[in-house]
Amino acid sequence: MGSVVSGLFGKGGSGTAGEAVARARELAPGARFNPYAVRTGTGTTGYRGDGQFYSELSQPYQDLLGTTLGGAQGLFEQFGSFDPSQRAADIYQQQAALLQPSFEQQATQLQSRLFGGGRLGLRLAGESQGLGAGSGMVQPDALGLGQAQQQTLAQLAAGSRQQAFGEQQQLGQMAAQALQSGMGISGLEQSLMGMGLNAEQARAAASLGAMQAELAPYATKAQMEQQQQQAGAGFFGGLLGSAAQGYGTYAGLAAAAGPAAAVSDIRFKDNITHVDTLPNGIKLYTWEWKEERNEPTFGVLAQEVQQVLPEAVIEHPDGYLMVNYAHPELQGVH
């Protein structure tokens, strides 16, 4: 019995399950996340195993990254040390110095006009010109020119402060843009690593899918064999149960059909060969039982006898057929 069960189910990892396991072991390395290396114009990335990933930008990108981040650092240092008040004073002094020759020329031209028009000696009380008490006598035309020039300088001071704050803001924006550019280049390294990860994940997934597709027939075959095994197990279980009660299936059926009753179901036979034919048309065969010893046997096939001599065939409760070789039409076969 053990030989029959072993042939059906396989033992020691044999049979369909053993084949599937062996094939799965062969295919499994391809479905794992394996070490890899990816090289592009941007750089190199890879996985060495044991959780060790690496990525490195190509030399041109490394140089560009160093230049960009170095420039950003310099701009931030300038931004931190920038003094808008001092810068406004410097701008004012530069612009005022440029206006000074023009102011002097305006004063000379005014003096010439006053001399030619006889107004050079004209003096008015400063208080009447809005200069306050005790301001003394002033030349009204010269006073007007001076006030106009002072207003120009006041506007220049306001413009200098505005320009200084604008330069400070522009410097901060330039530093931020340089830093952002550097981070963008550095982000290429992360993109490169992601590219490698995605490529290896896609490869592993494709290998897993291929492995599953290749192992699917084993599952189908195993399912079919399991169904056959369950039927066989039920049949042999019936035999064992009968034997435990003091009679075997063969003995029980032989009691009803005679001592020549024997299991002759085609489902228990292999390597079936036709060797002769009885006068009644029933064919005789040799075969091997589907057992580990594979002992050859000679006789008929129960399914064929059932079509010609149904009374000579006994159906087991589990559905398997036995033949009564004591039937007159079968006498002499065994």
Side-chain angles (χ1 to χ4, degrees):
M1 182 62 65
S3 62
V4 175
V5 175
S6 297
L8 289 173
F9 291 93
K11 63 180 181 178
S14 61
T16 301
E19 294 175 9
V21 170
R23 186 56 181 154
R25 287 174 178 171
E26 294 176 1
L27 298 175
R32 298 192 186 104
F33 194 85
N34 295 321
Y36 65 87
V38 176
R39 294 177 178 83
T40 68
T42 306
T44 304
T45 186
Y47 174 63
R48 296 188 178 93
D50 298 331
Q52 297 182 11
F53 293 88
Y54 67 91
S55 62
E56 183 179 15
L57 294 174
S58 60
Q59 193 60 47
Y61 281 99
Q62 290 186 28
D63 295 341
L64 182 59
L65 178 61
T67 300
T68 304
L69 293 180
Q73 182 180 1
L75 289 172
F76 275 115
E77 290 176 353
Q78 294 181 33
F79 178 79
S81 61
F82 189 88
D83 186 353
S85 299
Q86 182 60 46
R87 178 55 180 159
D90 294 340
I91 296 173
Y92 176 80
Q93 290 178 0
Q94 293 173 2
Q95 297 297 325
L98 294 176
L99 290 175
Q100 192 59 38
S102 178
F103 285 174
E104 293 177 355
Q105 183 179 8
Q106 291 174 358
T108 301
Q109 292 175 352
L110 176 60
Q111 187 176 10
S112 298
R113 289 198 302 272
L114 292 176
F115 181 78
R119 293 171 55 85
L120 186 60
L122 177 63
R123 295 288 187 274
L124 298 175
E127 184 176 356
S128 65
Q129 301 298 312
L131 299 180
S135 57
M137 306 301 290
V138 296
Q139 212 291 325
D141 296 302
L143 177 61
L145 177 61
Q147 290 176 337
Q149 291 179 348
Q150 289 299 320
Q151 185 177 3
T152 300
L153 293 175
Q155 293 174 350
L156 177 61
S160 298
R161 288 192 297 271
Q162 184 177 1
Q163 181 179 343
F165 285 115
E167 289 180 358
Q168 185 183 35
Q169 183 179 7
Q170 184 179 13
L171 189 60
Q173 291 175 348
M174 291 173 60
Q177 291 174 356
L179 179 60
Q180 185 175 5
S181 298
M183 292 177 64
I185 298 173
S186 180
L188 292 176
E189 193 170 2
Q190 296 180 354
S191 299
L192 184 64
M193 180 175 290
M195 183 189 306
L197 285 171
N198 292 338
E200 176 58 18
Q201 288 173 351
R203 185 209 60 76
S207 297
L208 178 60
M211 182 179 72
Q212 292 173 340
E214 185 167 345
L215 294 178
Y218 288 100
T220 302
K221 182 180 178 182
Q223 184 177 7
M224 295 175 62
E225 290 180 349
Q226 184 179 14
Q227 294 174 353
Q228 295 175 357
Q229 292 163 5
Q230 289 174 349
F235 173 74
F236 287 109
L239 294 178
L240 293 174
S242 299
Q245 296 174 8
Y247 58 91
T249 301
Y250 292 103
L253 291 176
V263 174
S264 189
D265 197 301
I266 192 173
R267 287 171 285 185
F268 288 94
K269 300 175 181 181
D270 199 2
N271 298 328
I272 302 172
T273 303
H274 176 225
V275 295
D276 200 356
T277 304
L278 295 175
N280 56 17
I282 298 176
K283 296 179 180 180
L284 302 177
Y285 300 90
T286 61
W287 63 81
E288 294 177 356
W289 291 109
K290 292 182 179 179
E291 295 181 0
E292 192 174 37
R293 290 180 297 179
N294 293 321
E295 297 178 0
T297 305
F298 172 79
V300 296
L301 300 180
Q303 279 79 358
E304 292 184 358
V305 175
Q306 190 177 38
Q307 297 177 3
V308 180
L309 300 172
E311 69 276 10
V313 177
I314 303 168
E315 184 175 357
H316 187 274
D318 289 331
Y320 292 93
L321 303 181
M322 302 180 71
V323 173
N324 179 15
Y325 281 97
H327 191 281
E329 295 290 335
L330 297 177
Q331 288 183 358
V333 175
H334 277 180

